[in-house]
């Protein structure tokens, strides 16, 4: 790594011009308050919105529980959970788009020759609301001038001006809500459609609609066609209430959600505590649920799930004039969900539910580029089920498939969200570990080996135990972008593990202390 820590620049647009801030200290708070180190003057930004802190020569970003959230490349950050940043990434602070760049590229081109072009601004912000307020201010001024010109009675003039101002506020609030709805639909078109992880997609969609409608809580249910039930996928703030009321809440809310799913129609409840249908419901009395909105996730005539929202403070907080927006929101989310499902099918192995070889090869290439560019660690594990042919020959292929599923489950449960696990072919698997050095990779591989060793596959009264052998390799600069060379090192280490007696982990560094002459 370089001896001198790299500098980074945060760039955004504000007050009619471009702004930039050079990050050089170890920590910064960013928000709307004048006391923070980086001030962003926008109503969607909380007073203390987020924090940047430096670790290992790179900055990390943490959302501080802001009202409108923080996103990196379209992915919503969970409050107080750190996210490592890379140069060229897009940040959305509330509704303010920013670009995080390394200091040496901030004034140069947005991408190197060997990198894909990155758009300078990934989020489209609708400034029509600003123009609307300017036009409204002009009309208000013209009307006040007319009143001053034609109404001589001072008291009557003041009453008329107050009435005009009241109507303007009502109109302005309505139009502003429509601008916000339009902005969210734009973000869905541009961002949610690109999210191919189902949970991330649903979390983002839920956060957006909660923000627009001012809901306190919400969840999304998806229909499980195999078992014929609605399953809870993501929730928002449903754990921030009295736990004695929580069971009641889910009973009530899922009953409403089921009814919405069956009817396929958007449902509004203005005040659940005063609604005669629910007066006997313990959940209403326990948590004091007031407003409820339930939206079916519907594309054409197919309903795939339900979004449930409620407000515990304000009756009538969800309005029927939002039906058009919610219908469009529902349709776009359902389409994005179907796209994510189809993509998942294309990159996933049917039996193991892990990624397939084509996908992980692509990810290995991407992580090698990132490791080379940012001088970061990246490790690879290639593992193989020992004597798997004997399992098939002795117990049959159905038991063999169950063994594959069992080992895959261990990989699912052991990997982090940033890791990539794949079935590489037959009984062979691969795990890609970004930002993991060789020691960390060894520890992880050894945990996998022990977990599989303790795994018992049971089928039709038969109990089968298997072991795995693993070869590991860590990215080195001499590899450059040679994916085949990187994988070959792990494969050679796997071969050595087999030769040394199986059920063990061997590092490529143990069998090869220097790069081959033709690759050095």
């Amino acid at each position: 790594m370089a001896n001198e820590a790299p500098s980074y620049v945060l760039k955004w647009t504000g007050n009619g011009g471009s702004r930039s801030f050079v990050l050089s200290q170890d920590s910064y708070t960013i928000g709307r308050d004048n006391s923070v180190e980086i001030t962003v003057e926008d109503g969607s930004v909380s007073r203390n919105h987020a924090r940047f802190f430096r670790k290992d020569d790179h900055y990390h970003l943490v959302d501080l529980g802001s009202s409108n959230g923080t996103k990196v490349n379209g992915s919503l950050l969970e409050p107080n959970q750190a996210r490592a940043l890379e140069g060229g990434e897009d940040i959305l602070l509330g509704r303010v788009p920013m670009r995080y760049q390394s200091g040496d590229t901030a004034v140069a081109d947005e991408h190197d020759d060997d990198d894909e072009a990155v758009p300078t601004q990934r989020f489209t912000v609708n400034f029509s609301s600003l123009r609307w307020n300017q036009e409204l201010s002009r009309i208000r001024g013209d009307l006040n001038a007319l009143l001053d010109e034609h109404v001589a009675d001072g008291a009557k003039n003041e009453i008329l001006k107050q009435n005009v101002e009241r109507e303007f506020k009502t109109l302005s609030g309505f139009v502003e809500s429509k601008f916000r709805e339009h902005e969210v639909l734009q973000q869905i078109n541009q961002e949610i459609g690109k999210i191919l992880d189902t949970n991330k997609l649903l979390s983002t969609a839920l956060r957006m609609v909660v923000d627009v409608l001012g809901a306190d809580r919400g969840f999304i249910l998806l229909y499980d066609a195999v078992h014929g039930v609605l399953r809870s996928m993501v929730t928002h703030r449903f754990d921030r209430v009295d736990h004695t009321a929580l069971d009641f809440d889910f009973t009530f809310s899922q009953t409403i959600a089921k009814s919405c799913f069956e009817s396929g129609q958007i449902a509004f409840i203005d005040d659940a505590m005063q609604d005669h249908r629910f007066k006997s419901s313990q959940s209403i009395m326990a948590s004091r649920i007031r407003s409820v909105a339930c939206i079916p996730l519907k594309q054409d005539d197919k309903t795939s799930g339900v979004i449930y929202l409620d407000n515990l403070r304000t009756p009538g907080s969800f309005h029927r004039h939002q039906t058009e927006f919610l219908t469009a929101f529902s349709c776009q989310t359902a389409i994005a969900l179907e796209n994510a499902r189809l993509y998942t099918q294309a990159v996933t192995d049917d039996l193991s539910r892990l990624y397939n070889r084509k996908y992980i090869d692509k990810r290995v290439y991407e992580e090698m580029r990132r490791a080379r560019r940012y001088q970061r660690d990246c490790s690879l594990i290639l593992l193989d089920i020992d004597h798997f042919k004997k399992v098939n020959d002795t117990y049959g292929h159905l038991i063999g498939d169950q063994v594959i599923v069992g080992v895959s489950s261990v990989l699912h449960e052991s990997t982090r969200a940033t890791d990539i696990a794949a079935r590489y072919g037959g009984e062979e698997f691969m795990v890609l570990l970004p930002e993991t050095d060789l020691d960390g990779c060894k520890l992880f591989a050894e945990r996998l080996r022990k977990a599989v060793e303790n795994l018992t596959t049971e089928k039709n009264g038969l109990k089968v135990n298997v072991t795995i052998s693993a070869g590991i390799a860590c990215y080195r600069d001499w590899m450059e972008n040679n994916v085949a060379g990187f994988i070959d090192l792990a494969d050679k280490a796997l071969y050595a593990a087999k030769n040394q007696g199986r059920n063990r982990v061997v590092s490529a560094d143990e069998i090869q202390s220097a790069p081959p002459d033709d690759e050095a």
Side-chain angles (χ1 to χ4, degrees), residues 492-503:
K492 287 176 179 175
L494 171 59
Y495 186 76
K498 294 279 190 182
N499 284 342
Q500 291 175 24
R502 294 182 167 83
N503 191 21

Side-chain angles (χ1 to χ4, degrees), residues 351 385 388 391-392 395-405:
L351 178 62
I385 301 174
F388 185 71
V391 172
N392 277 334
Y395 301 103
H397 288 278
L398 288 179
I399 296 293
D401 285 350
Q402 287 299 112
V403 170
I404 293 286
V405 171

Side-chain angles (χ1 to χ4, degrees), residues 168-187:
F168 266 106
K169 285 184 177 179
T170 301
L171 178 61
S172 180
F174 176 79
V175 174
E176 283 292 339
S177 70
K178 289 300 179 183
F179 279 128
R180 180 67 185 124
E181 291 172 5
H182 178 64
E183 187 179 54
V184 168
L185 292 177
Q186 281 187 319
Q187 288 186 19

Side-chain angles (χ1 to χ4, degrees), residues 329-342:
F329 181 93
S330 165
C331 181
Q332 291 184 17
T333 303
I335 291 171
L337 192 61
E338 178 65 9
N339 289 341
R341 186 187 68 81
L342 293 174

Side-chain angles (χ1 to χ4, degrees), residues 223-269:
Y223 182 64
D224 181 345
V226 175
H227 299 94
V229 295
L230 288 166
R231 297 195 182 279
S232 178
M233 301 299 294
V234 294
T235 64
H236 178 76
R237 292 180 177 169
F238 249 88
D239 58 343
R240 300 187 185 183
V241 297
D242 182 354
H243 285 280
T244 60
L246 196 56
D247 290 339
F248 292 129
D249 285 356
F250 274 112
T251 300
F252 166 76
S253 57
Q254 293 200 14
T255 299
I256 299 297
K258 183 179 179 182
S259 175
C260 172
F261 177 80
E262 291 172 349
S263 70
Q265 301 296 318
I266 297 173
F268 294 99
I269 299 173

Side-chain angles (χ1 to χ4, degrees), residues 171-368:
L171 178 61
S172 180
F174 176 79
V175 174
E176 283 292 339
S177 70
K178 289 300 179 183
F179 279 128
R180 180 67 185 124
E181 291 172 5
H182 178 64
E183 187 179 54
V184 168
L185 292 177
Q186 281 187 319
Q187 288 186 19
I188 291 176
N189 279 330
Q190 296 167 16
E191 297 306 317
I192 284 190
K194 299 176 184 178
I195 301 175
L196 299 173
D197 178 271
T198 299
N199 281 337
K200 286 183 180 179
L201 189 156
L202 294 176
S203 295
T204 304
L206 182 59
R207 184 63 181 263
M208 281 183 174
V209 75
V210 161
D211 179 33
V212 175
L213 269 64
D216 289 327
R217 307 180 307 175
F219 60 74
I220 297 181
L221 305 177
L222 291 186
Y223 182 64
D224 181 345
V226 175
H227 299 94
V229 295
L230 288 166
R231 297 195 182 279
S232 178
M233 301 299 294
V234 294
T235 64
H236 178 76
R237 292 180 177 169
F238 249 88
D239 58 343
R240 300 187 185 183
V241 297
D242 182 354
H243 285 280
T244 60
L246 196 56
D247 290 339
F248 292 129
D249 285 356
F250 274 112
T251 300
F252 166 76
S253 57
Q254 293 200 14
T255 299
I256 299 297
K258 183 179 179 182
S259 175
C260 172
F261 177 80
E262 291 172 349
S263 70
Q265 301 296 318
I266 297 173
F268 294 99
I269 299 173
D270 293 329
D271 191 345
M273 291 188 68
Q274 300 299 321
D275 195 307
H276 69 277
R277 294 173 296 174
F278 313 117
K279 280 193 174 181
S280 62
S281 173
Q282 288 178 296
S283 64
I284 302 299
M285 299 303 115
S287 63
R288 304 182 68 83
I289 297 172
R290 305 306 295 258
S291 306
V292 175
C294 218
I295 308 107
L297 286 172
K298 193 172 182 181
Q299 179 188 358
D300 298 326
D301 294 328
K302 180 183 177 183
T303 303
S304 56
V306 175
I307 302 176
Y308 170 91
L309 306 167
D310 64 27
N311 189 298
L312 307 181
R313 300 163 297 171
T314 310
S317 61
F318 309 127
H319 305 290
R320 283 161 181 77
H321 68 68
Q322 295 167 322
T323 299
E324 184 179 355
F325 159 73
L326 291 175
T327 300
F329 181 93
S330 165
C331 181
Q332 291 184 17
T333 303
I335 291 171
L337 192 61
E338 178 65 9
N339 289 341
R341 186 187 68 81
L342 293 174
Y343 176 78
T344 300
Q345 283 185 343
V347 300
T348 304
D349 173 67
D350 290 337
L351 178 62
S352 66
R353 308 312 301 164
L354 298 172
Y355 288 111
N356 58 28
R357 180 169 182 161
K358 181 178 180 181
Y359 177 79
I360 199 169
D361 279 345
K362 176 176 177 288
R363 290 304 307 273
V364 170
Y365 173 69
E366 292 170 353
E367 291 302 329
M368 289 178 74

